[in-house]
Amino acid sequence: MAAGRKHGPAAISIPIMIEIQAVTQRFGSVEAVRNVDLSIRKGEVFGIIGRSGAGKSTLVRTLNLLNRPTSGRILLDGQDLTALSAQQLREARRGIGMIFQHFNLLSSRTVYDNIALPLELAGKSKAEIAQKVEPLLELVGLSALKDRYPAQISGGQKQRVGIARALANDPKVLLSDEATSALDPETTRSILELLRKINQELGLTIVLITHQMEVIKVICDRVAVMEAGQVIEQGEVLDVFRQPKHEVTRALIGDVIAHELPKGVVERLRARLAKAEAENDATKGTDHLFRFAFTGSGVDQPHLSEAVRRYSLDFNILHGQIDEIQGQAFGSLAILANGTQENINNAMQYLRSQGVVVEELNHVI
């Protein structure tokens, strides 16, 4: 588990590595980022997600002042970057590594020399450079390819070069701007595994910008969701998956975990209710639609069967999925419950007492 990966009350004691305070970024009349406040803890992997144009890449470029914010402050390990002189800012930027979607490697330099570039610019000797670059090559698994040129290696290997280069100056923070977007799924997994290894072994704080919730699910500790330049939701990744509060977040989660009911299921439910009404069925009004979210050990416990037994209910599972988020099991089920109103209320109270997140969905039909 990463150095900063703690949950619950203990998380309050973790030092803050990056503080984004009321940051706004305007380009002419366009407000790309609007009054954003975020705190990123030391040693965590923090994800910033949003659709194209949400402002996430603009925001991440304010963290090292590649984009100087129109207003607001960026604090790195307590130091206000926006208050530094040009020389002081150059020094501070050495503590911030950055990797990009399109690698940004120099085609005329070998793998070794691309990684060595920041060290050369810092005036290091050849011996000092070798002492740093060789372990980095080993860390990213490219020792055997150090004399090749970018045109001779794959996209995933190019990104590994970019990661090693970003680590050359021993940064406190690694910024990843859509670093896996140009890669195939298998290569993406391998890059995320490498980033997680770096986070765990080096205790490095990673800020990861992406439009892919699958990436957030695999590697991030906490996440902020952006839309139209604003942070609309943030929290522990598992909590956000369990109880997304914003429609945009629900849609993003729906890309990887079945959160919304399929259209066919909704149509069948509507037909069932219409038939019951037409036939004046005595059971009319006793059907209730719920979504249950289970996490951790709750996935393995017979909570549903116990609720059925205790409260004489019928449960019809309509839709669901079990997955894993940050090494913890996560289950989501859509259930049609049939029984008396009192028994249904008591059953939902029981399930909540067992740690199950219960959401009524009758508004869907």
Side-chain angles (χ1 to χ4, degrees), residues 317-331:
I317 298 177
L318 303 174
H319 195 240
Q321 183 175 348
I322 295 177
D323 210 317
E324 190 172 273
I325 300 172
Q326 283 295 310
Q328 294 193 59
F330 173 84

mmCIF file with all atom_site columns, all heavy atoms in Angstrom, residues 317-331:
data_model
loop_
_atom_site.group_PDB
_atom_site.id
_atom_site.type_symbol
_atom_site.label_atom_id
_atom_site.label_alt_id
_atom_site.label_comp_id
_atom_site.label_asym_id
_atom_site.label_entity_id
_atom_site.label_seq_id
_atom_site.pdbx_PDB_ins_code
_atom_site.Cartn_x
_atom_site.Cartn_y
_atom_site.Cartn_z
_atom_site.occupancy
_atom_site.B_iso_or_equiv
_atom_site.pdbx_formal_charge
_atom_site.auth_seq_id
_atom_site.auth_comp_id
_atom_site.auth_asym_id
_atom_site.auth_atom_id
_atom_site.pdbx_PDB_model_num
ATOM 1   N N   . ILE A 1 317 ? -33.310 -10.150 -8.849  1.00 0.00 ? 317 ILE A N   1
ATOM 2   C CA  . ILE A 1 317 ? -32.101 -9.442  -9.285  1.00 0.00 ? 317 ILE A CA  1
ATOM 3   C C   . ILE A 1 317 ? -32.249 -9.101  -10.765 1.00 0.00 ? 317 ILE A C   1
ATOM 4   O O   . ILE A 1 317 ? -32.370 -9.985  -11.614 1.00 0.00 ? 317 ILE A O   1
ATOM 5   C CB  . ILE A 1 317 ? -30.835 -10.293 -9.050  1.00 0.00 ? 317 ILE A CB  1
ATOM 6   C CG1 . ILE A 1 317 ? -30.658 -10.571 -7.556  1.00 0.00 ? 317 ILE A CG1 1
ATOM 7   C CG2 . ILE A 1 317 ? -29.605 -9.570  -9.605  1.00 0.00 ? 317 ILE A CG2 1
ATOM 8   C CD1 . ILE A 1 317 ? -29.494 -11.462 -7.229  1.00 0.00 ? 317 ILE A CD1 1
ATOM 9   N N   . LEU A 1 318 ? -32.241 -7.805  -11.075 1.00 0.00 ? 318 LEU A N   1
ATOM 10  C CA  . LEU A 1 318 ? -32.440 -7.334  -12.445 1.00 0.00 ? 318 LEU A CA  1
ATOM 11  C C   . LEU A 1 318 ? -31.135 -7.096  -13.185 1.00 0.00 ? 318 LEU A C   1
ATOM 12  O O   . LEU A 1 318 ? -31.043 -7.286  -14.390 1.00 0.00 ? 318 LEU A O   1
ATOM 13  C CB  . LEU A 1 318 ? -33.243 -6.023  -12.424 1.00 0.00 ? 318 LEU A CB  1
ATOM 14  C CG  . LEU A 1 318 ? -34.603 -6.076  -11.729 1.00 0.00 ? 318 LEU A CG  1
ATOM 15  C CD1 . LEU A 1 318 ? -35.192 -4.671  -11.667 1.00 0.00 ? 318 LEU A CD1 1
ATOM 16  C CD2 . LEU A 1 318 ? -35.549 -7.024  -12.451 1.00 0.00 ? 318 LEU A CD2 1
ATOM 17  N N   . HIS A 1 319 ? -30.134 -6.642  -12.454 1.00 0.00 ? 319 HIS A N   1
ATOM 18  C CA  . HIS A 1 319 ? -28.899 -6.217  -13.114 1.00 0.00 ? 319 HIS A CA  1
ATOM 19  C C   . HIS A 1 319 ? -27.821 -6.088  -12.060 1.00 0.00 ? 319 HIS A C   1
ATOM 20  O O   . HIS A 1 319 ? -28.121 -5.758  -10.907 1.00 0.00 ? 319 HIS A O   1
ATOM 21  C CB  . HIS A 1 319 ? -29.133 -4.857  -13.792 1.00 0.00 ? 319 HIS A CB  1
ATOM 22  C CG  . HIS A 1 319 ? -28.088 -4.486  -14.790 1.00 0.00 ? 319 HIS A CG  1
ATOM 23  N ND1 . HIS A 1 319 ? -27.312 -3.354  -14.688 1.00 0.00 ? 319 HIS A ND1 1
ATOM 24  C CD2 . HIS A 1 319 ? -27.677 -5.099  -15.929 1.00 0.00 ? 319 HIS A CD2 1
ATOM 25  C CE1 . HIS A 1 319 ? -26.484 -3.286  -15.720 1.00 0.00 ? 319 HIS A CE1 1
ATOM 26  N NE2 . HIS A 1 319 ? -26.683 -4.324  -16.480 1.00 0.00 ? 319 HIS A NE2 1
ATOM 27  N N   . GLY A 1 320 ? -26.578 -6.373  -12.399 1.00 0.00 ? 320 GLY A N   1
ATOM 28  C CA  . GLY A 1 320 ? -25.534 -6.217  -11.399 1.00 0.00 ? 320 GLY A CA  1
ATOM 29  C C   . GLY A 1 320 ? -24.159 -6.585  -11.899 1.00 0.00 ? 320 GLY A C   1
ATOM 30  O O   . GLY A 1 320 ? -23.984 -7.073  -13.014 1.00 0.00 ? 320 GLY A O   1
ATOM 31  N N   . GLN A 1 321 ? -23.190 -6.329  -11.036 1.00 0.00 ? 321 GLN A N   1
ATOM 32  C CA  . GLN A 1 321 ? -21.796 -6.575  -11.383 1.00 0.00 ? 321 GLN A CA  1
ATOM 33  C C   . GLN A 1 321 ? -20.966 -6.606  -10.107 1.00 0.00 ? 321 GLN A C   1
ATOM 34  O O   . GLN A 1 321 ? -21.238 -5.878  -9.157  1.00 0.00 ? 321 GLN A O   1
ATOM 35  C CB  . GLN A 1 321 ? -21.294 -5.454  -12.299 1.00 0.00 ? 321 GLN A CB  1
ATOM 36  C CG  . GLN A 1 321 ? -19.867 -5.631  -12.797 1.00 0.00 ? 321 GLN A CG  1
ATOM 37  C CD  . GLN A 1 321 ? -19.491 -4.545  -13.785 1.00 0.00 ? 321 GLN A CD  1
ATOM 38  O OE1 . GLN A 1 321 ? -20.346 -3.805  -14.264 1.00 0.00 ? 321 GLN A OE1 1
ATOM 39  N NE2 . GLN A 1 321 ? -18.209 -4.436  -14.081 1.00 0.00 ? 321 GLN A NE2 1
ATOM 40  N N   . ILE A 1 322 ? -19.957 -7.467  -10.082 1.00 0.00 ? 322 ILE A N   1
ATOM 41  C CA  . ILE A 1 322 ? -18.974 -7.479  -9.002  1.00 0.00 ? 322 ILE A CA  1
ATOM 42  C C   . ILE A 1 322 ? -17.613 -7.190  -9.617  1.00 0.00 ? 322 ILE A C   1
ATOM 43  O O   . ILE A 1 322 ? -17.240 -7.785  -10.628 1.00 0.00 ? 322 ILE A O   1
ATOM 44  C CB  . ILE A 1 322 ? -18.967 -8.825  -8.255  1.00 0.00 ? 322 ILE A CB  1
ATOM 45  C CG1 . ILE A 1 322 ? -20.304 -9.026  -7.534  1.00 0.00 ? 322 ILE A CG1 1
ATOM 46  C CG2 . ILE A 1 322 ? -17.821 -8.876  -7.247  1.00 0.00 ? 322 ILE A CG2 1
ATOM 47  C CD1 . ILE A 1 322 ? -20.425 -10.350 -6.818  1.00 0.00 ? 322 ILE A CD1 1
ATOM 48  N N   . ASP A 1 323 ? -16.888 -6.266  -9.035  1.00 0.00 ? 323 ASP A N   1
ATOM 49  C CA  . ASP A 1 323 ? -15.599 -5.841  -9.569  1.00 0.00 ? 323 ASP A CA  1
ATOM 50  C C   . ASP A 1 323 ? -14.643 -5.642  -8.403  1.00 0.00 ? 323 ASP A C   1
ATOM 51  O O   . ASP A 1 323 ? -14.960 -5.974  -7.254  1.00 0.00 ? 323 ASP A O   1
ATOM 52  C CB  . ASP A 1 323 ? -15.771 -4.543  -10.363 1.00 0.00 ? 323 ASP A CB  1
ATOM 53  C CG  . ASP A 1 323 ? -14.765 -4.411  -11.489 1.00 0.00 ? 323 ASP A CG  1
ATOM 54  O OD1 . ASP A 1 323 ? -13.583 -4.723  -11.262 1.00 0.00 ? 323 ASP A OD1 1
ATOM 55  O OD2 . ASP A 1 323 ? -15.160 -3.997  -12.593 1.00 0.00 ? 323 ASP A OD2 1
ATOM 56  N N   . GLU A 1 324 ? -13.473 -5.080  -8.694  1.00 0.00 ? 324 GLU A N   1
ATOM 57  C CA  . GLU A 1 324 ? -12.489 -4.799  -7.663  1.00 0.00 ? 324 GLU A CA  1
ATOM 58  C C   . GLU A 1 324 ? -11.976 -3.386  -7.846  1.00 0.00 ? 324 GLU A C   1
ATOM 59  O O   . GLU A 1 324 ? -11.633 -2.968  -8.955  1.00 0.00 ? 324 GLU A O   1
ATOM 60  C CB  . GLU A 1 324 ? -11.329 -5.796  -7.734  1.00 0.00 ? 324 GLU A CB  1
ATOM 61  C CG  . GLU A 1 324 ? -10.394 -5.720  -6.547  1.00 0.00 ? 324 GLU A CG  1
ATOM 62  C CD  . GLU A 1 324 ? -9.364  -6.844  -6.548  1.00 0.00 ? 324 GLU A CD  1
ATOM 63  O OE1 . GLU A 1 324 ? -9.646  -7.927  -6.024  1.00 0.00 ? 324 GLU A OE1 1
ATOM 64  O OE2 . GLU A 1 324 ? -8.277  -6.603  -7.081  1.00 0.00 ? 324 GLU A OE2 1
ATOM 65  N N   . ILE A 1 325 ? -11.953 -2.621  -6.748  1.00 0.00 ? 325 ILE A N   1
ATOM 66  C CA  . ILE A 1 325 ? -11.452 -1.250  -6.764  1.00 0.00 ? 325 ILE A CA  1
ATOM 67  C C   . ILE A 1 325 ? -10.408 -1.118  -5.664  1.00 0.00 ? 325 ILE A C   1
ATOM 68  O O   . ILE A 1 325 ? -10.704 -1.357  -4.496  1.00 0.00 ? 325 ILE A O   1
ATOM 69  C CB  . ILE A 1 325 ? -12.589 -0.242  -6.526  1.00 0.00 ? 325 ILE A CB  1
ATOM 70  C CG1 . ILE A 1 325 ? -13.650 -0.379  -7.633  1.00 0.00 ? 325 ILE A CG1 1
ATOM 71  C CG2 . ILE A 1 325 ? -12.054 1.181   -6.487  1.00 0.00 ? 325 ILE A CG2 1
ATOM 72  C CD1 . ILE A 1 325 ? -14.888 0.439   -7.381  1.00 0.00 ? 325 ILE A CD1 1
ATOM 73  N N   . GLN A 1 326 ? -9.176  -0.761  -6.062  1.00 0.00 ? 326 GLN A N   1
ATOM 74  C CA  . GLN A 1 326 ? -8.091  -0.612  -5.094  1.00 0.00 ? 326 GLN A CA  1
ATOM 75  C C   . GLN A 1 326 ? -7.953  -1.856  -4.208  1.00 0.00 ? 326 GLN A C   1
ATOM 76  O O   . GLN A 1 326 ? -7.754  -1.755  -3.000  1.00 0.00 ? 326 GLN A O   1
ATOM 77  C CB  . GLN A 1 326 ? -8.324  0.620   -4.241  1.00 0.00 ? 326 GLN A CB  1
ATOM 78  C CG  . GLN A 1 326 ? -7.986  1.927   -4.943  1.00 0.00 ? 326 GLN A CG  1
ATOM 79  C CD  . GLN A 1 326 ? -6.505  2.045   -5.268  1.00 0.00 ? 326 GLN A CD  1
ATOM 80  O OE1 . GLN A 1 326 ? -5.653  1.840   -4.427  1.00 0.00 ? 326 GLN A OE1 1
ATOM 81  N NE2 . GLN A 1 326 ? -6.202  2.337   -6.508  1.00 0.00 ? 326 GLN A NE2 1
ATOM 82  N N   . GLY A 1 327 ? -8.080  -3.039  -4.821  1.00 0.00 ? 327 GLY A N   1
ATOM 83  C CA  . GLY A 1 327 ? -7.893  -4.286  -4.087  1.00 0.00 ? 327 GLY A CA  1
ATOM 84  C C   . GLY A 1 327 ? -9.070  -4.694  -3.233  1.00 0.00 ? 327 GLY A C   1
ATOM 85  O O   . GLY A 1 327 ? -9.010  -5.724  -2.561  1.00 0.00 ? 327 GLY A O   1
ATOM 86  N N   . GLN A 1 328 ? -10.148 -3.912  -3.238  1.00 0.00 ? 328 GLN A N   1
ATOM 87  C CA  . GLN A 1 328 ? -11.334 -4.254  -2.462  1.00 0.00 ? 328 GLN A CA  1
ATOM 88  C C   . GLN A 1 328 ? -12.470 -4.660  -3.391  1.00 0.00 ? 328 GLN A C   1
ATOM 89  O O   . GLN A 1 328 ? -12.694 -4.025  -4.430  1.00 0.00 ? 328 GLN A O   1
ATOM 90  C CB  . GLN A 1 328 ? -11.800 -3.071  -1.607  1.00 0.00 ? 328 GLN A CB  1
ATOM 91  C CG  . GLN A 1 328 ? -10.835 -2.672  -0.510  1.00 0.00 ? 328 GLN A CG  1
ATOM 92  C CD  . GLN A 1 328 ? -11.489 -1.718  0.475   1.00 0.00 ? 328 GLN A CD  1
ATOM 93  O OE1 . GLN A 1 328 ? -12.482 -2.037  1.096   1.00 0.00 ? 328 GLN A OE1 1
ATOM 94  N NE2 . GLN A 1 328 ? -10.914 -0.534  0.606   1.00 0.00 ? 328 GLN A NE2 1
ATOM 95  N N   . ALA A 1 329 ? -13.190 -5.717  -3.010  1.00 0.00 ? 329 ALA A N   1
ATOM 96  C CA  . ALA A 1 329 ? -14.327 -6.156  -3.797  1.00 0.00 ? 329 ALA A CA  1
ATOM 97  C C   . ALA A 1 329 ? -15.419 -5.097  -3.751  1.00 0.00 ? 329 ALA A C   1
ATOM 98  O O   . ALA A 1 329 ? -15.658 -4.466  -2.719  1.00 0.00 ? 329 ALA A O   1
ATOM 99  C CB  . ALA A 1 329 ? -14.847 -7.483  -3.265  1.00 0.00 ? 329 ALA A CB  1
ATOM 100 N N   . PHE A 1 330 ? -16.086 -4.914  -4.872  1.00 0.00 ? 330 PHE A N   1
ATOM 101 C CA  . PHE A 1 330 ? -17.173 -3.947  -4.984  1.00 0.00 ? 330 PHE A CA  1
ATOM 102 C C   . PHE A 1 330 ? -18.284 -4.565  -5.797  1.00 0.00 ? 330 PHE A C   1
ATOM 103 O O   . PHE A 1 330 ? -18.055 -5.083  -6.895  1.00 0.00 ? 330 PHE A O   1
ATOM 104 C CB  . PHE A 1 330 ? -16.682 -2.675  -5.661  1.00 0.00 ? 330 PHE A CB  1
ATOM 105 C CG  . PHE A 1 330 ? -17.791 -1.681  -5.976  1.00 0.00 ? 330 PHE A CG  1
ATOM 106 C CD1 . PHE A 1 330 ? -18.222 -0.792  -5.015  1.00 0.00 ? 330 PHE A CD1 1
ATOM 107 C CD2 . PHE A 1 330 ? -18.399 -1.666  -7.221  1.00 0.00 ? 330 PHE A CD2 1
ATOM 108 C CE1 . PHE A 1 330 ? -19.239 0.117   -5.284  1.00 0.00 ? 330 PHE A CE1 1
ATOM 109 C CE2 . PHE A 1 330 ? -19.417 -0.766  -7.499  1.00 0.00 ? 330 PHE A CE2 1
ATOM 110 C CZ  . PHE A 1 330 ? -19.833 0.128   -6.533  1.00 0.00 ? 330 PHE A CZ  1
ATOM 111 N N   . GLY A 1 331 ? -19.492 -4.568  -5.253  1.00 0.00 ? 331 GLY A N   1
ATOM 112 C CA  . GLY A 1 331 ? -20.626 -5.140  -5.955  1.00 0.00 ? 331 GLY A CA  1
ATOM 113 C C   . GLY A 1 331 ? -21.758 -4.136  -6.061  1.00 0.00 ? 331 GLY A C   1
ATOM 114 O O   . GLY A 1 331 ? -22.004 -3.349  -5.140  1.00 0.00 ? 331 GLY A O   1
#
